[in-house]
Amino acid sequence: MNTKLVVGNWKMNGDLTANAALAGSLLLAMGTPRCAVAVCAPMPYLAQMQAILANSPVALGAQDVSSHADGAFTGEISGSMLRDFGVRYVIVGHSERRQYHGETDQLVADKVKQALAVGVTPIVCMGETLAQREAGATEEVVRRQLAAVVHGNGHCISEIVLAYEPVWAIGTGKTASPEQAQKVHAVLRAQLRAATDHAAGVKILYGGSMNAGNAAQLLVQSDIDGGLIGGASLKAQEFLAIIAAADAVAASA
Ligand code: PEP
């Protein structure tokens, strides 16, 4: 079985003092997890987090990357800039960026390409809205979102991490049931299999109100390789409990 990957998405939260306290609490209690762990910090704090996480089991992630390599793109952050700060993962195509910043499937695919080009692993988010789920369009939506990334990135697709994040479950306290999540993950895995011989090694994370109470049931599903965690990653004890659940699932596999 692949190692699980647990990633915290801090979104637009924190400050110098709060970040140091949160990361300090995590590192103090974490030990050496069996699973891989990362936290995706807001851009201005990447240098701070690079210093705090150095030589720790927690990798550094960012929350967005430009679709361009460099040039006159005011306000944008390139993949090579992220790499300069030791960034290992970058979230791409989060539903909040698709919804509030008009990010299209094509733009997401271009951002994935930029991240891959500099050796930063994109965590590519996809998922349906409540209206799309109720209309029975879940599979169609995630297939379309993944197809754009596959089309734009060819055989490099085996280097990405996917995150299935039903929009209706993000920050709402509503979680997809383990069966609902596994069903969509299996669809994504099958689509990956058609694109690469290495589909089994591509991590597919679940995200959407994952917490200490529901993590184990989700993470035990055969195609759920980890979690992308928003709100619960801002509470050290909650995030540590999710990491412990991932480790327990891996140990019993
Ligand atoms: C997210 O924003 O990626 C997320 C999963 O958020 P939450 O865990 O708060 O639902």
Side-chain angles (χ1 to χ4, degrees), residues 166-197:
V167 179
W168 48 271
I170 296 178
T172 58
K174 286 184 201 148
T175 318
S177 69
E179 296 71 28
Q180 283 174 322
Q182 166 57 29
K183 196 169 168 211
V184 178
H185 281 231
V187 166
L188 294 172
R189 183 85 66 201
Q191 194 174 350
L192 285 170
R193 251 187 232 115
T196 171
D197 291 341

Side-chain angles (χ1 to χ4, degrees), residues 7-11 91 94-96 125 163-167 169-174 206-211 227-233:
V7 181
N9 174 13
W10 287 0
K11 310 196 188 195
I91 297 171
H94 192 281
S95 63
E96 287 154 12
C125 301
Y164 168 55
E165 298 208 308
V167 179
I170 296 178
T172 58
K174 286 184 201 148
Y206 169 79
S209 298
M210 190 186 269
N211 58 39
L228 179 56
I229 294 116
S233 72

